[in-house]
Amino acid sequence: MKRYLDCNATCPPVQKALDASAQAARDAIGNPSSLHWAGRAARRVVDDARDALAAFVGCESGSVVFTSGGTEANNIAIHSVLSSHASGHLVCTAIEHPAVLKPLQRLADAGFELSCVRPGDDGVVSAEAMIDAIRDNTRLVCMMLVNNESGAIQPVRQVAEYCRERGIAVLVDAVQGLGKSELDFQAMDVDFMSLSAHKIGGPKGVGALLVKRGVKLQELAPGGGQERNRRSGTENVPGIAGFSAALGQVDFTAFTPIRDAFEQQLKEQIPEVRIISDQAPRSANTSLFILPGMDGETLLMQLDLAGFAVASGSACSSGKREASHVLLAMGLNDAMARSSVRVSFGPGNTMDDADALVKALVTARQRLRGMAGLAA
Ligand SMILES: Cc1ncc(COP(=O)(O)O)c(C=O)c1O
């Protein structure tokens, strides 16, 4: 039996989104920039989706710039703030997604100063630590809303408030926050916020950058001037239609009882398990844990053979497996950071999946310990 428990990597598409994308692909045949009837019909699909997204996240429709996903949204915002500066200081949390860390690192290589602020051992980067890192020449502060590995919710509002008073630009990567934590763009009052459709049951390859009114956006890839000269390229009309149809379709808080029951059982069966960020405010569906002495990737492969799709914290980069930068930043050593497994619940998951996964983990652990010549 196949069980999918990796919704932070991508959430299975919801039916409404599949239907809306298929309908738009079939019926909205024109280019939204064309002035004729077919173009106007496609434009209507994009504008209706823009209005729906704006209403859902609490911003004006004019703040929504559709993109190819969270990665592009982050890159546009970072590029936009820094294209007009030759030097300066940047602040981010050390647990940002690579879609923020890598563009910032590139700027650091080009001469910008970069401060990466580490979290506490609960996986939360304190607002005080972020504020302490800010200097007179700080140009941009990046702070994610919800960490994709641990699910820890970050205190974005306090940091945003401090930056607003000093005119420092703030980018919030809210890709893992949409549908999983409170999200109100206007109330948060930041310059930029990035979102992605496929994390909420929408199509892959579409997302949005929300831009505060009055903040000018410098295009990353200049071209035909779509999205009011903020993101060129013909809009992904079926993707955008699917994105808006997915909004509100998955209630991730419904999976908290399953996540909590899973963790409870896991602690009973394997007492040395360490659940990450369980003492922090955490997104509703996520469980990141460490089985000391086990290699996360090997466990993942064992679970895969048993039909479970889960994630390990380590990432593959240039053929080399790297320990989770999130866990390393939390102060865990390399071996611990390599023994993590992330389970993220979503549509279709039941208590039975939680029970079965605990059993499979116990079995996999016994097998791996047996192979290593350790007592089961
Ligand atoms: C926190 C975070 N930011 C950005 C991204 C990238 O989003 P996309 O896959 O839409 O480019 C992800 C995806 O895993 C993510 O979890």
Side-chain angles (χ1 to χ4, degrees), residues 225-308:
Q226 286 87 348
E227 297 293 282
R228 292 184 22 212
N229 288 316
R230 296 180 293 181
R231 194 271 185 181
S232 283
T234 302
E235 295 88 343
N236 173 359
V237 180
I240 289 169
F243 187 5
S244 101
L247 294 167
Q249 290 300 300
V250 180
D251 173 13
F252 284 95
T253 61
F255 304 107
T256 305
I258 302 177
R259 190 268 313 271
D260 291 350
F262 165 73
E263 291 184 347
Q264 186 56 39
Q265 282 189 58
L266 190 60
K267 284 190 273 192
E268 282 163 19
Q269 296 294 322
I270 309 177
E272 71 266 33
V273 69
R274 176 160 165 196
I275 314 268
I276 303 296
S277 296
D278 57 347
Q279 301 304 314
R282 209 168 29 140
S283 81
N285 72 325
T286 307
S287 180
L288 177 67
F289 57 90
I290 287 173
L291 292 180
M294 298 278 115
D295 177 59
E297 200 85 349
T298 313
L299 263 176
L300 184 145
M301 287 187 287
Q302 290 284 322
L303 293 171
D304 181 33
L305 288 171
F308 294 88

Coordinates of all heavy atoms in Angstrom, one line a residue, residues 225-308:
G225 N 6.6 42.9 -20.3 CA 6.0 43.9 -19.4 C 4.7 43.4 -18.8 O 3.9 44.2 -18.3
Q226 N 4.5 42.1 -18.7 CA 3.3 41.6 -18.1 C 3.3 41.9 -16.6 O 4.3 42.3 -16.0 CB 3.2 40.0 -18.3 CG 2.8 39.6 -19.7 CD 3.9 39.5 -20.7 OE1 5.1 39.9 -20.4 NE2 3.7 38.9 -21.8
E227 N 2.2 41.6 -15.9 CA 2.0 41.9 -14.5 C 2.5 43.3 -14.2 O 3.2 43.6 -13.2 CB 2.9 40.8 -13.7 CG 2.4 39.4 -13.8 CD 1.0 39.2 -13.2 OE1 0.9 39.1 -12.0 OE2 0.0 39.1 -14.0
R228 N 2.0 44.2 -15.0 CA 2.2 45.7 -14.8 C 3.7 45.9 -14.7 O 4.2 46.6 -13.8 CB 1.5 46.2 -13.6 CG 0.0 46.2 -13.8 CD -0.9 46.7 -12.7 NE -0.3 47.6 -11.8 CZ -0.6 47.8 -10.5 NH1 -1.5 47.0 -10.0 NH2 0.0 48.6 -9.7
N229 N 4.4 45.4 -15.7 CA 5.9 45.6 -15.8 C 6.7 45.1 -14.6 O 7.8 45.5 -14.3 CB 6.2 47.1 -15.9 CG 5.9 47.6 -17.3 OD1 6.1 46.9 -18.3 ND2 5.2 48.7 -17.4
R230 N 6.1 44.1 -13.8 CA 6.8 43.6 -12.6 C 7.3 42.2 -12.8 O 8.2 41.8 -12.1 CB 5.9 43.7 -11.4 CG 5.5 45.2 -11.1 CD 4.6 45.3 -9.9 NE 3.3 44.8 -10.1 CZ 2.3 44.8 -9.2 NH1 2.5 45.3 -8.1 NH2 1.1 44.3 -9.5
R231 N 6.7 41.5 -13.8 CA 7.2 40.1 -14.0 C 6.8 39.7 -15.5 O 5.6 39.4 -15.8 CB 6.5 39.1 -13.1 CG 7.2 37.7 -13.0 CD 6.6 36.8 -14.0 NE 7.2 35.5 -13.9 CZ 6.8 34.5 -14.7 NH1 5.9 34.6 -15.6 NH2 7.3 33.3 -14.5
S232 N 7.8 39.9 -16.4 CA 7.5 39.6 -17.8 C 7.3 38.1 -18.1 O 7.9 37.3 -17.4 CB 8.6 40.2 -18.6 OG 8.4 41.6 -18.7
G233 N 6.6 37.8 -19.1 CA 6.4 36.5 -19.6 C 4.9 36.2 -19.6 O 4.2 36.6 -18.7
T234 N 4.4 35.5 -20.6 CA 3.0 35.2 -20.7 C 2.6 34.4 -19.4 O 3.2 33.5 -19.0 CB 2.7 34.4 -22.0 OG1 3.2 35.1 -23.1 CG2 1.2 34.1 -22.1
E235 N 1.5 34.9 -18.8 CA 1.0 34.3 -17.6 C 0.7 32.8 -17.8 O 0.1 32.4 -18.8 CB -0.2 35.0 -17.0 CG 0.1 36.5 -16.6 CD -0.1 37.4 -17.8 OE1 -0.1 37.0 -19.0 OE2 -0.2 38.7 -17.5
N236 N 0.9 32.0 -16.8 CA 0.5 30.6 -16.7 C -0.9 30.5 -16.4 O -1.3 30.3 -15.2 CB 1.4 29.8 -15.7 CG 1.0 28.4 -15.5 OD1 0.1 27.9 -16.1 ND2 1.8 27.7 -14.6
V237 N -1.8 30.7 -17.4 CA -3.2 30.8 -17.1 C -3.8 29.6 -16.4 O -4.5 29.7 -15.4 CB -4.0 31.2 -18.4 CG1 -5.5 31.4 -18.1 CG2 -3.4 32.5 -19.0
P238 N -3.6 28.4 -16.9 CA -4.1 27.2 -16.2 C -3.6 27.1 -14.8 O -4.3 26.7 -13.8 CB -3.7 26.0 -17.1 CG -3.4 26.6 -18.4 CD -2.9 28.0 -18.1
G239 N -2.3 27.4 -14.6 CA -1.7 27.3 -13.3 C -2.3 28.3 -12.3 O -2.6 28.0 -11.2
I240 N -2.5 29.5 -12.8 CA -3.0 30.6 -12.0 C -4.5 30.2 -11.6 O -4.9 30.4 -10.4 CB -2.9 31.9 -12.7 CG1 -1.4 32.3 -12.8 CG2 -3.8 33.0 -12.1 CD1 -1.1 33.5 -13.7
A241 N -5.2 29.7 -12.5 CA -6.6 29.3 -12.3 C -6.6 28.2 -11.2 O -7.5 28.2 -10.3 CB -7.3 28.8 -13.5
G242 N -5.7 27.3 -11.3 CA -5.6 26.2 -10.3 C -5.2 26.7 -9.0 O -5.7 26.2 -7.9
F243 N -4.3 27.6 -9.0 CA -3.8 28.2 -7.7 C -5.0 28.8 -6.9 O -5.3 28.5 -5.8 CB -2.8 29.3 -8.0 CG -2.1 29.9 -6.8 CD1 -2.3 29.4 -5.5 CD2 -1.2 30.9 -7.0 CE1 -1.6 30.0 -4.4 CE2 -0.5 31.5 -6.0 CZ -0.7 31.1 -4.7
S244 N -5.8 29.6 -7.6 CA -6.9 30.3 -6.9 C -8.0 29.3 -6.5 O -8.5 29.4 -5.4 CB -7.5 31.4 -7.8 OG -8.6 31.1 -8.4
A245 N -8.2 28.2 -7.3 CA -9.2 27.2 -6.9 C -8.7 26.4 -5.7 O -9.6 25.9 -5.0 CB -9.5 26.3 -8.1
A246 N -7.4 26.3 -5.5 CA -6.9 25.5 -4.4 C -7.0 26.3 -3.0 O -7.0 25.6 -2.0 CB -5.4 25.2 -4.6
L247 N -7.2 27.6 -3.1 CA -7.2 28.4 -1.8 C -8.2 27.9 -0.9 O -9.4 27.7 -1.2 CB -7.4 29.9 -2.2 CG -6.3 30.5 -3.0 CD1 -6.8 31.9 -3.5 CD2 -5.0 30.7 -2.1
G248 N -7.8 27.6 0.3 CA -8.8 27.2 1.4 C -9.3 25.8 1.3 O -10.1 25.3 2.1
Q249 N -8.8 25.0 0.3 CA -9.4 23.7 0.1 C -8.8 22.7 1.1 O -9.4 21.7 1.4 CB -9.1 23.2 -1.4 CG -9.9 23.9 -2.4 CD -11.3 23.7 -2.2 OE1 -11.9 22.6 -2.2 NE2 -12.1 24.8 -2.0
V250 N -7.6 22.9 1.5 CA -7.0 22.0 2.5 C -6.8 22.7 3.8 O -6.2 23.7 3.9 CB -5.6 21.5 2.0 CG1 -5.0 20.5 3.0 CG2 -5.6 20.8 0.6
D251 N -7.5 22.1 4.8 CA -7.4 22.6 6.1 C -6.3 21.8 6.9 O -6.6 20.7 7.4 CB -8.7 22.5 6.9 CG -8.6 22.9 8.3 OD1 -7.6 23.5 8.7 OD2 -9.6 22.7 9.1
F252 N -5.1 22.4 6.9 CA -4.0 21.6 7.5 C -4.1 21.4 9.0 O -3.6 20.5 9.6 CB -2.6 22.2 7.2 CG -2.2 22.0 5.7 CD1 -2.5 23.0 4.7 CD2 -1.5 20.9 5.4 CE1 -2.1 22.7 3.4 CE2 -1.1 20.6 4.0 CZ -1.4 21.6 3.1
T253 N -4.9 22.3 9.6 CA -5.1 22.1 11.1 C -5.9 20.8 11.4 O -5.8 20.2 12.5 CB -5.9 23.3 11.7 OG1 -7.2 23.3 11.1 CG2 -5.2 24.6 11.5
A254 N -6.6 20.3 10.4 CA -7.3 19.0 10.6 C -6.4 17.8 10.8 O -6.8 16.8 11.3 CB -8.2 18.7 9.4
F255 N -5.1 18.0 10.5 CA -4.1 16.9 10.6 C -3.3 17.0 11.9 O -2.5 16.1 12.2 CB -3.2 16.9 9.4 CG -4.0 16.8 8.1 CD1 -4.1 17.9 7.3 CD2 -4.7 15.7 7.8 CE1 -4.9 17.9 6.1 CE2 -5.4 15.6 6.6 CZ -5.5 16.7 5.8
T256 N -3.6 18.0 12.7 CA -2.8 18.1 14.0 C -3.1 16.8 14.9 O -2.1 16.3 15.4 CB -3.1 19.4 14.7 OG1 -2.9 20.4 13.8 CG2 -2.3 19.6 16.0
P257 N -4.4 16.4 15.0 CA -4.6 15.2 15.9 C -3.8 14.0 15.4 O -3.3 13.2 16.2 CB -6.1 15.0 15.8 CG -6.7 16.3 15.4 CD -5.6 17.0 14.6
I258 N -3.7 13.8 14.1 CA -3.0 12.7 13.5 C -1.5 12.9 13.8 O -0.8 11.9 14.2 CB -3.2 12.6 12.0 CG1 -4.7 12.4 11.7 CG2 -2.4 11.4 11.4 CD1 -5.1 12.4 10.2
R259 N -1.0 14.1 13.5 CA 0.5 14.3 13.8 C 0.8 14.1 15.3 O 1.8 13.4 15.6 CB 0.8 15.8 13.4 CG 2.2 16.2 13.4 CD 2.8 16.8 14.7 NE 2.0 17.8 15.4 CZ 2.1 19.1 15.1 NH1 3.0 19.6 14.3 NH2 1.4 20.0 15.8
D260 N -0.1 14.6 16.2 CA 0.2 14.4 17.6 C 0.1 13.0 18.0 O 0.9 12.5 18.8 CB -0.8 15.3 18.4 CG -0.6 16.8 18.2 OD1 0.5 17.1 17.6 OD2 -1.4 17.6 18.7
A261 N -0.9 12.2 17.5 CA -1.0 10.8 17.8 C 0.2 10.1 17.3 O 0.8 9.2 18.0 CB -2.3 10.2 17.2
F262 N 0.7 10.4 16.1 CA 1.9 9.8 15.6 C 3.1 10.0 16.5 O 3.8 9.1 16.9 CB 2.2 10.4 14.2 CG 3.6 10.1 13.7 CD1 3.9 8.8 13.2 CD2 4.5 11.1 13.7 CE1 5.2 8.6 12.8 CE2 5.8 10.8 13.2 CZ 6.2 9.6 12.8
E263 N 3.3 11.3 17.0 CA 4.4 11.6 17.8 C 4.3 10.9 19.2 O 5.3 10.4 19.7 CB 4.6 13.1 18.0 CG 5.0 13.8 16.7 CD 5.2 15.3 16.8 OE1 4.9 15.9 17.9 OE2 5.8 15.9 15.9
Q264 N 3.1 10.8 19.7 CA 2.9 10.1 21.0 C 3.3 8.7 20.9 O 4.1 8.1 21.7 CB 1.4 10.3 21.4 CG 1.1 9.8 22.8 CD 2.0 10.4 23.8 OE1 2.3 11.6 23.8 NE2 2.4 9.6 24.8
Q265 N 2.8 8.0 19.8 CA 3.1 6.6 19.7 C 4.6 6.3 19.4 O 5.2 5.4 19.9 CB 2.4 6.1 18.4 CG 0.9 5.8 18.6 CD 0.4 5.0 17.4 OE1 0.9 4.0 17.0 NE2 -0.6 5.6 16.7
L266 N 5.2 7.2 18.6 CA 6.6 7.1 18.3 C 7.4 7.2 19.6 O 8.4 6.4 19.8 CB 7.0 8.2 17.3 CG 8.4 8.1 16.7 CD1 8.5 6.8 15.9 CD2 8.6 9.3 15.8
K267 N 7.1 8.1 20.5 CA 7.8 8.3 21.7 C 7.6 7.0 22.6 O 8.6 6.6 23.3 CB 7.3 9.5 22.5 CG 7.9 10.8 21.9 CD 7.6 12.0 22.7 CE 6.3 12.6 22.4 NZ 6.1 13.9 23.0
E268 N 6.4 6.4 22.5 CA 6.2 5.2 23.3 C 7.0 4.0 22.8 O 7.6 3.3 23.5 CB 4.7 4.8 23.3 CG 3.9 5.7 24.3 CD 2.4 5.7 23.9 OE1 2.0 4.7 23.3 OE2 1.7 6.6 24.4
Q269 N 7.1 3.9 21.5 CA 7.8 2.8 20.8 C 9.3 2.9 20.8 O 10.0 1.9 20.9 CB 7.2 2.6 19.4 CG 5.8 2.2 19.3 CD 5.5 0.9 19.9 OE1 6.3 -0.1 19.8 NE2 4.4 0.7 20.6
I270 N 9.7 4.2 20.6 CA 11.2 4.4 20.5 C 11.5 5.6 21.4 O 11.6 6.7 21.0 CB 11.6 4.7 19.0 CG1 11.1 3.7 18.0 CG2 13.1 4.8 18.9 CD1 11.4 3.9 16.6
P271 N 11.7 5.3 22.7 CA 11.9 6.4 23.7 C 13.0 7.4 23.4 O 12.9 8.5 23.8 CB 12.1 5.6 25.0 CG 11.5 4.3 24.8 CD 11.7 4.0 23.3
E272 N 14.0 6.9 22.7 CA 15.1 7.9 22.5 C 14.9 8.8 21.3 O 15.7 9.7 21.0 CB 16.5 7.1 22.3 CG 16.6 6.4 20.9 CD 16.2 4.9 21.1 OE1 15.3 4.6 21.9 OE2 16.8 4.1 20.4
V273 N 13.7 8.7 20.7 CA 13.4 9.7 19.6 C 13.4 11.1 20.1 O 13.0 11.4 21.2 CB 12.0 9.3 18.9 CG1 10.9 9.6 19.9 CG2 11.9 10.1 17.6
R274 N 13.9 12.0 19.2 CA 13.9 13.4 19.6 C 13.0 14.2 18.6 O 13.3 14.2 17.4 CB 15.3 14.0 19.6 CG 15.3 15.4 19.9 CD 16.7 15.9 20.4 NE 16.8 17.3 20.3 CZ 17.9 18.0 20.3 NH1 19.0 17.4 20.5 NH2 17.9 19.3 20.3
I275 N 11.9 14.7 19.1 CA 11.0 15.5 18.2 C 11.5 16.9 18.2 O 11.7 17.5 19.2 CB 9.6 15.4 18.7 CG1 9.2 14.0 19.1 CG2 8.6 16.1 17.7 CD1 8.5 13.2 18.1
I276 N 11.7 17.4 17.0 CA 12.3 18.8 16.9 C 11.1 19.8 16.9 O 10.1 19.6 16.3 CB 13.0 18.9 15.5 CG1 14.1 17.8 15.4 CG2 13.6 20.3 15.3 CD1 15.2 18.0 16.5
S277 N 11.4 20.9 17.6 CA 10.5 22.1 17.7 C 9.1 21.7 18.3 O 8.1 22.5 18.1 CB 10.3 22.7 16.3 OG 11.5 23.2 15.8
D278 N 9.0 20.6 19.1 CA 7.7 20.3 19.6 C 7.3 21.3 20.8 O 6.1 21.3 21.2 CB 7.6 18.9 20.1 CG 8.6 18.5 21.1 OD1 9.6 19.2 21.3 OD2 8.5 17.4 21.7
Q279 N 8.3 22.1 21.3 CA 8.0 23.0 22.3 C 7.7 24.4 21.7 O 7.5 25.4 22.4 CB 9.1 23.1 23.3 CG 9.4 21.8 24.0 CD 8.2 21.2 24.7 OE1 7.5 21.9 25.4 NE2 8.0 19.9 24.5
A280 N 7.8 24.5 20.4 CA 7.7 25.9 19.7 C 6.3 25.9 19.1 O 5.7 24.9 18.8 CB 8.8 26.0 18.7
P281 N 5.8 27.2 18.8 CA 4.6 27.3 17.9 C 5.0 26.6 16.6 O 6.0 26.9 16.0 CB 4.4 28.8 17.8 CG 5.6 29.5 18.4 CD 6.4 28.5 19.1
R282 N 4.2 25.7 16.2 CA 4.6 24.8 15.0 C 3.4 24.7 14.1 O 2.2 24.7 14.5 CB 4.9 23.4 15.6 CG 5.9 22.7 14.8 CD 6.4 21.4 15.5 NE 5.6 20.7 16.4 CZ 5.6 19.4 16.6 NH1 6.3 18.7 15.7 NH2 4.8 18.8 17.5
S283 N 3.7 24.5 12.8 CA 2.6 24.4 11.8 C 1.9 23.0 12.0 O 2.5 22.1 12.5 CB 3.2 24.5 10.4 OG 3.7 23.3 9.9
A284 N 0.7 23.0 11.6 CA -0.3 22.0 12.1 C 0.1 20.6 11.6 O -0.3 19.6 12.3 CB -1.6 22.4 11.5
N285 N 0.8 20.4 10.5 CA 0.9 19.1 9.9 C 2.3 18.5 10.0 O 2.5 17.4 9.4 CB 0.5 19.3 8.4 CG 1.6 20.0 7.6 OD1 2.2 20.9 8.2 ND2 1.8 19.6 6.4
T286 N 3.2 19.2 10.6 CA 4.6 18.8 10.4 C 5.2 18.1 11.6 O 5.0 18.5 12.7 CB 5.5 20.0 10.1 OG1 4.9 20.7 9.0 CG2 6.9 19.7 9.7
S287 N 6.0 17.0 11.4 CA 6.7 16.4 12.4 C 8.1 16.1 11.9 O 8.3 15.3 11.0 CB 6.0 15.0 12.8 OG 6.7 14.4 13.9
L288 N 9.1 16.7 12.6 CA 10.5 16.4 12.2 C 11.1 15.8 13.5 O 11.0 16.3 14.6 CB 11.2 17.8 11.9 CG 12.7 17.7 11.6 CD1 13.0 16.9 10.3 CD2 13.4 19.1 11.6
F289 N 11.8 14.6 13.2 CA 12.3 13.9 14.4 C 13.6 13.3 14.1 O 14.0 13.1 12.9 CB 11.3 12.9 14.9 CG 10.9 11.8 13.9 CD1 11.6 10.7 13.7 CD2 9.8 12.1 13.1 CE1 11.2 9.7 12.8 CE2 9.4 11.1 12.1 CZ 10.1 10.0 12.0
I290 N 14.4 13.0 15.1 CA 15.7 12.3 15.0 C 15.7 11.0 15.7 O 15.2 10.9 16.8 CB 16.7 13.3 15.6 CG1 16.9 14.5 14.7 CG2 18.1 12.6 15.8 CD1 17.8 15.5 15.2
L291 N 16.2 10.0 15.0 CA 16.4 8.7 15.6 C 17.9 8.5 15.8 O 18.6 8.2 14.8 CB 15.8 7.6 14.7 CG 14.3 7.5 14.6 CD1 13.8 6.4 13.7 CD2 13.6 7.4 16.0
P292 N 18.4 8.8 17.0 CA 19.9 8.8 17.1 C 20.5 7.5 16.6 O 20.0 6.4 16.8 CB 20.1 9.0 18.6 CG 18.8 9.6 19.1 CD 17.7 9.1 18.2
G293 N 21.6 7.7 15.9 CA 22.4 6.5 15.5 C 21.9 6.0 14.1 O 22.5 5.1 13.5
M294 N 20.8 6.5 13.6 CA 20.2 6.0 12.3 C 20.6 7.1 11.3 O 20.5 8.3 11.6 CB 18.7 5.9 12.4 CG 18.1 4.9 13.4 SD 18.2 3.3 12.7 CE 19.3 2.5 13.8
D295 N 20.8 6.6 10.1 CA 21.0 7.6 9.0 C 19.6 7.9 8.3 O 18.9 6.9 7.9 CB 22.0 7.0 7.9 CG 22.1 7.9 6.7 OD1 22.6 9.0 6.9 OD2 21.8 7.5 5.6
G296 N 19.3 9.2 8.3 CA 17.9 9.5 7.8 C 17.6 9.0 6.4 O 16.5 8.6 6.1
E297 N 18.6 9.1 5.6 CA 18.5 8.8 4.2 C 18.2 7.2 4.0 O 17.4 6.8 3.3 CB 19.7 9.2 3.4 CG 19.5 9.3 1.9 CD 19.0 10.7 1.5 OE1 18.6 11.5 2.4 OE2 19.0 10.9 0.3
T298 N 19.0 6.5 4.9 CA 18.8 5.0 4.8 C 17.4 4.6 5.3 O 16.7 3.8 4.8 CB 19.9 4.3 5.7 OG1 21.1 4.9 5.3 CG2 19.9 2.8 5.5
L299 N 17.0 5.3 6.4 CA 15.6 5.1 6.9 C 14.6 5.4 5.9 O 13.6 4.6 5.7 CB 15.4 6.0 8.1 CG 15.6 5.4 9.5 CD1 15.4 6.5 10.5 CD2 14.6 4.3 9.8
L300 N 14.8 6.5 5.2 CA 13.9 6.9 4.2 C 13.7 5.9 3.1 O 12.6 5.6 2.6 CB 14.4 8.3 3.6 CG 13.5 9.0 2.6 CD1 13.6 10.5 2.7 CD2 13.9 8.6 1.2
M301 N 14.9 5.3 2.7 CA 14.8 4.3 1.7 C 14.1 3.0 2.2 O 13.3 2.4 1.4 CB 16.2 3.9 1.2 CG 16.8 5.1 0.3 SD 18.3 4.8 -0.5 CE 19.5 4.8 0.8
Q302 N 14.3 2.6 3.4 CA 13.6 1.5 4.0 C 12.1 1.8 4.0 O 11.3 0.9 3.7 CB 14.1 1.3 5.5 CG 15.5 0.8 5.6 CD 15.6 -0.7 5.3 OE1 14.7 -1.5 5.6 NE2 16.7 -1.1 4.6
L303 N 11.7 3.0 4.4 CA 10.3 3.3 4.4 C 9.7 3.4 3.0 O 8.6 2.9 2.8 CB 10.1 4.7 5.1 CG 10.4 4.7 6.6 CD1 10.4 6.1 7.1 CD2 9.4 3.8 7.4
D304 N 10.5 3.8 2.1 CA 10.1 3.8 0.7 C 9.7 2.4 0.2 O 8.7 2.2 -0.4 CB 11.2 4.5 -0.2 CG 10.8 4.6 -1.6 OD1 9.6 4.8 -1.9 OD2 11.7 4.4 -2.5
L305 N 10.6 1.5 0.5 CA 10.4 0.1 0.1 C 9.1 -0.4 0.7 O 8.4 -1.3 0.1 CB 11.5 -0.8 0.6 CG 12.8 -0.6 -0.2 CD1 14.0 -1.4 0.5 CD2 12.7 -1.1 -1.6
A306 N 8.7 0.1 1.9 CA 7.5 -0.3 2.6 C 6.3 0.5 2.1 O 5.2 0.4 2.6 CB 7.6 -0.2 4.1
G307 N 6.5 1.4 1.1 CA 5.4 2.2 0.5 C 5.1 3.6 1.1 O 4.2 4.3 0.7
F308 N 6.0 4.0 2.0 CA 5.8 5.3 2.7 C 6.7 6.4 2.0 O 7.9 6.2 1.8 CB 6.2 5.3 4.1 CG 5.4 4.4 5.0 CD1 5.6 3.1 5.1 CD2 4.2 4.9 5.6 CE1 4.8 2.2 5.9 CE2 3.4 4.1 6.4 CZ 3.7 2.8 6.5

